[in-house]
Amino acid sequence: MRINDRIKNISIDALLRWSFEHSLRPFYRYLIVAFVIAVVAVIRNVFITDLLPWLLFLPLILFWGLLFGRNEGFFASVASSLAAAFSIGSLTNPFWLTGAQWTGSKLFVAVTSLLALFTTELRTAYACAAKLGHVH
């Protein structure tokens, strides 16, 4: 097996084909998304400062939207925002977050919801191309 063949086996194409062929129940999809976001949140809290608390969640939102669909992408967006807000909030602040942090969280959800929508459209386009036989 050549290196290019091995890389192709673990490509986005392969993951998308798998996701269409092995549809998981919604409960399991949401559980997987929540678990991975929680793991990334813990890693972020342990190893990274409070700067850019949302940054590590961006690839997850794109990935879950592409792999599972729109609703899971939106869920990943909101769950990531909550995980980030939890990690930077303070009990000494009566509103948990500062005004700037609330604004950042709202902007994060708005932008990543659009990213989730975009990845859903990519997922749909891939499915259409696969039906037409343009994807191998």
Side-chain angles (χ1 to χ4, degrees), residues 13 29 55 66 79 87 128 134:
D13 284 351
R29 292 192 308 254
L55 188 63
L66 190 59
S87 72
C128 289
H134 296 297

Side-chain angles (χ1 to χ4, degrees), residues 79-95:
S80 296
S81 181
L82 291 173
F86 182 76
S87 72
I88 61 173
S90 171
L91 290 174
T92 60
N93 187 328
F95 300 107

Side-chain angles (χ1 to χ4, degrees), residues 40 43-45 48 52-61 80:
V40 170
I43 291 168
R44 198 206 73 71
N45 285 338
I48 301 173
L52 299 171
W54 308 278
L55 188 63
L56 293 180
F57 298 106
L58 288 171
L60 297 177
I61 295 162
S80 296

Side-chain angles (χ1 to χ4, degrees), residues 5-123:
D5 293 336
R6 272 189 264 148
I7 291 171
K8 187 175 181 180
N9 289 339
I10 57 170
S11 69
I12 296 295
D13 284 351
L15 287 171
L16 280 169
R17 273 195 310 275
W18 179 88
S19 75
F20 288 120
E21 294 168 1
H22 302 90
S23 183
L24 298 173
R25 290 182 156 180
F27 172 79
Y28 294 112
R29 292 192 308 254
Y30 288 107
L31 186 64
I32 290 167
V33 172
F35 176 76
V36 172
I37 287 172
V39 168
V40 170
V42 168
I43 291 168
R44 198 206 73 71
N45 285 338
V46 171
F47 296 109
I48 301 173
T49 67
D50 289 343
L51 295 174
L52 299 171
W54 308 278
L55 188 63
L56 293 180
F57 298 106
L58 288 171
L60 297 177
I61 295 162
L62 292 168
F63 182 76
W64 296 124
L66 190 59
L67 192 64
F68 290 145
R70 181 186 64 228
N71 293 337
E72 291 80 356
F74 288 152
F75 175 75
S77 175
V78 172
S80 296
S81 181
L82 291 173
F86 182 76
S87 72
I88 61 173
S90 171
L91 290 174
T92 60
N93 187 328
F95 300 107
W96 185 255
L97 300 175
T98 66
Q101 290 169 330
W102 277 112
T103 301
S105 293
K106 290 174 188 174
L107 285 172
F108 176 81
V109 170
V111 169
T112 57
S113 291
L114 290 174
L115 286 174
L117 186 60
F118 177 71
T119 57
T120 300
E121 293 301 317
L122 287 174
R123 177 179 169 79

